[in-house]
Amino acid sequence: MNPHQWPDANLTLTETANGILVQQDGRVYRSGKWKLTEQIIEIVDTAIEYGLTAQWQDGHPGSAFFEGGSKFDKGIHHISFAPSHSHKWVFVMGHEGVKKPWNDQFLDKLTFNKKYRNFVAQSDVSWEWEIHSGKNLFVFPDNLSTLLSGLTPEVISEKFNPLSRTVSVTLL
């Protein structure tokens, strides 16, 4: 597949035999196993429309995963989205969100950073807890635009309080 470019974000995604190359602002990493589908392009379009223009963040992925690093060929399992390289990721398209079997590569869920749990819980979109690993939140890709339309700079700049438990639950 030909590369797909988002000039306003200085971003190019290129499908290769073993994943997608993510090229942005002079850095390149591989998101292993992915194919550049219309669904992926639509998700990136939506994220960039709402200002999440950074697909790598300081320290994420680690330097070993960038071109020239010891783990570049292995790649990482996701593509992340943040308002800038200095912000923590807001959401990712990760392997955990792919509907099985993998060869269909249909993203059934997007993973939102647990920092945004109160924001997501107070929105009008359905979501569920990530039961393993990071304890983040899953949302349906169809709800991405609705959710991001309420993501303000104030919400992004809020500090994460892991002790905050003021979530009203509406599960998928």
Side-chain angles (χ1 to χ4, degrees):
M1 182 177 252
N2 290 331
H4 197 91
Q5 297 180 332
W6 291 266
D8 291 343
N10 196 25
L11 173 67
T12 301
L13 299 183
T14 307
E15 184 177 330
T16 68
N18 56 350
I20 293 176
L21 287 180
V22 179
Q23 300 170 279
Q24 187 175 51
D25 296 331
R27 301 195 83 184
V28 180
Y29 69 89
R30 180 183 315 282
S31 190
K33 206 173 178 180
W34 289 100
K35 296 177 182 149
L36 190 55
T37 64
E38 285 302 314
Q39 184 190 31
I40 299 295
I41 291 169
E42 288 173 16
I43 290 168
V44 176
D45 284 345
T46 300
I48 288 174
E49 175 186 343
Y50 287 100
L52 300 181
T53 58
Q55 281 53 67
W56 58 265
Q57 297 76 48
D58 295 337
H60 190 254
S63 59
F65 290 99
F66 283 99
E67 192 170 45
S70 62
K71 297 182 180 180
F72 174 74
D73 288 334
K74 176 183 177 186
I76 62 173
H77 81 280
H78 61 270
I79 298 174
S80 58
F81 298 84
S84 75
H85 299 305
S86 63
H87 282 88
K88 192 166 174 74
W89 59 275
V90 174
F91 79 93
V92 300
M93 298 183 298
H95 289 180
E96 67 278 357
V98 175
K99 185 176 181 179
K100 306 307 181 244
W102 176 264
N103 57 348
D104 293 337
Q105 193 197 289
F106 179 78
L107 263 167
D108 196 34
K109 303 171 190 167
L110 298 170
T111 306
F112 267 74
N113 191 312
K114 63 187 166 193
K115 170 188 174 180
Y116 299 99
R117 73 170 164 223
N118 287 333
F119 166 71
V120 172
Q122 293 168 5
S123 72
D124 289 329
V125 304
S126 298
W127 61 276
E128 63 184 31
W129 292 111
E130 178 185 26
I131 298 170
H132 53 76
S133 59
K135 306 293 187 238
N136 295 297
L137 302 141
F138 293 131
V139 300
F140 291 123
D142 289 347
N143 292 329
L144 183 60
S145 184
T146 301
L147 195 54
L148 293 183
S149 70
L151 188 65
T152 64
E154 293 77 25
V155 171
I156 290 170
S157 66
E158 283 179 9
K159 299 289 184 202
F160 174 61
N161 179 356
L163 302 176
S164 173
R165 301 284 186 221
T166 59
V167 174
S168 60
V169 177
T170 306
L171 297 176
L172 296 174

